[in-house]
């Protein structure tokens, strides 16, 4: 929103975003209506539409906020890892822990892009999410003397997103460790 919000308005908006994120992650964008989101957020439907004039705009705001939060978390939690391959593998270690948490249903960005058929702005947010992921991985690869760190970052991202999808479908976190093992081999050969 372009206008300045009061603390109460900001809190209501945040509750709506949080409720939408939880419900969309649990059941998918198309299975959740705005009435349910408003009820979960303890907000009126009028408030929901004040901050998000359409469900599509709510989905976009939720996804952008989620992507920002995930990237800040990944950066914060892996920034102090020791240099070298372990710095890259620290990303996988963090994700292995996440994959093992109860209620893990895969990457919310991938899920939302798939659920909405990667429509318009959702696809753009998903692309930015992947670009930021590759940038984080390239940063974690810094200092390894690779001839093409961008290519290695793309390959690592494929391992991460593949493990996320397999974990969500299989319901067990073993794919995270498999991806980490493959990443270690990839780094040894790169």
């Amino acid at each position: 929103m372009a206008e300045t919000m009061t603390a109460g308005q900001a809190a209501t908006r945040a509750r709506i975003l949080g409720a939408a994120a939880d419900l969309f992650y649990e059941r998918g964008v198309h299975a959740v209506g705005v009435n349910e989101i408003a009820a979960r957020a303890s907000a009126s439907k009028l408030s929901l539409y004040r901050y998000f004039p359409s469900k599509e705009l709510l989905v976009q705001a939720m996804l952008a906020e989620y992507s920002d939060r995930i990237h800040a978390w990944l950066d914060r939690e892996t920034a102090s890892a020791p240099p070298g391959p372990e710095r890259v593998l620290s990303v996988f270690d963090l994700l292995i822990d996440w994959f093992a948490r109860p209620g893990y249903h895969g990457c919310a960005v991938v899920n939302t892009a798939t659920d909405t058929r990667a429509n318009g702005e959702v696809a753009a947010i998903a692309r930015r999410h992947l670009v930021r992921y590759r940038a984080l991985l390239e940063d974690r690869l810094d200092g390894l003397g690779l001839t093409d760190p961008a290519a290695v970052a793309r390959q690592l991202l494929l391992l991460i997103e593949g493990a996320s999808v397999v974990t969500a479908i299989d319901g067990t976190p073993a794919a995270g460790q498999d991806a980490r093992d493959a990443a270690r081999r990839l780094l040894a050969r790169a």
Side-chain angles (χ1 to χ4, degrees):
M1 291 190 72
E3 63 201 51
T4 304
M5 287 187 270
T6 67
Q9 290 170 327
T12 299
R13 185 180 187 280
R15 279 196 325 273
I16 292 167
L17 273 176
D22 291 346
L23 289 166
F24 293 155
Y25 189 67
E26 290 167 12
R27 299 204 326 264
V29 170
H30 295 300
V32 176
V34 293
N35 289 336
E36 186 175 5
I37 295 166
R40 171 83 65 99
S42 298
S44 69
K45 200 167 152 183
L46 180 64
S47 290
L48 186 148
Y49 282 119
R50 179 179 304 127
Y51 303 114
F52 309 101
S54 69
K55 184 178 175 184
E56 183 176 319
L57 291 173
L58 174 59
V59 169
Q60 293 168 15
M62 176 280 304
L63 197 59
E65 190 275 337
Y66 175 85
S67 179
D68 289 346
R69 192 167 18 97
I70 290 299
H71 284 290
W73 173 67
L74 288 167
D75 187 51
R76 181 180 63 251
E77 296 297 321
T78 64
S80 62
E86 289 305 315
R87 189 163 190 234
V88 176
L89 295 174
S90 71
V91 176
F92 286 84
D93 293 336
L94 190 60
L95 294 171
I96 287 168
D97 179 59
W98 185 26
F99 294 172
R101 291 183 190 163
Y104 182 78
H105 300 295
C107 173
V109 175
V110 171
N111 293 349
T112 303
T114 302
D115 200 25
T116 62
R117 306 296 187 260
N119 131 336
E121 184 58 24
V122 168
I125 294 166
R127 281 191 296 276
R128 282 192 301 272
H129 180 76
L130 295 179
V131 165
R132 291 165 67 186
Y133 229 134
R134 286 190 298 269
L136 172 82
L137 291 166
E138 283 186 54
D139 179 73
R140 298 306 179 254
L141 289 164
D142 191 43
L144 294 180
L146 302 175
T147 57
D148 193 356
V152 175
R154 282 191 311 274
Q155 293 165 354
L156 292 169
L157 181 57
L158 290 171
L159 291 172
I160 288 167
E161 291 297 348
S164 175
V165 169
V166 170
T167 297
I169 293 169
D170 280 354
T172 66
Q177 185 61 52
D178 293 341
R180 186 188 195 282
D181 294 343
R184 181 184 292 286
R185 287 191 297 279
L186 175 66
L187 293 172
R189 291 186 186 124

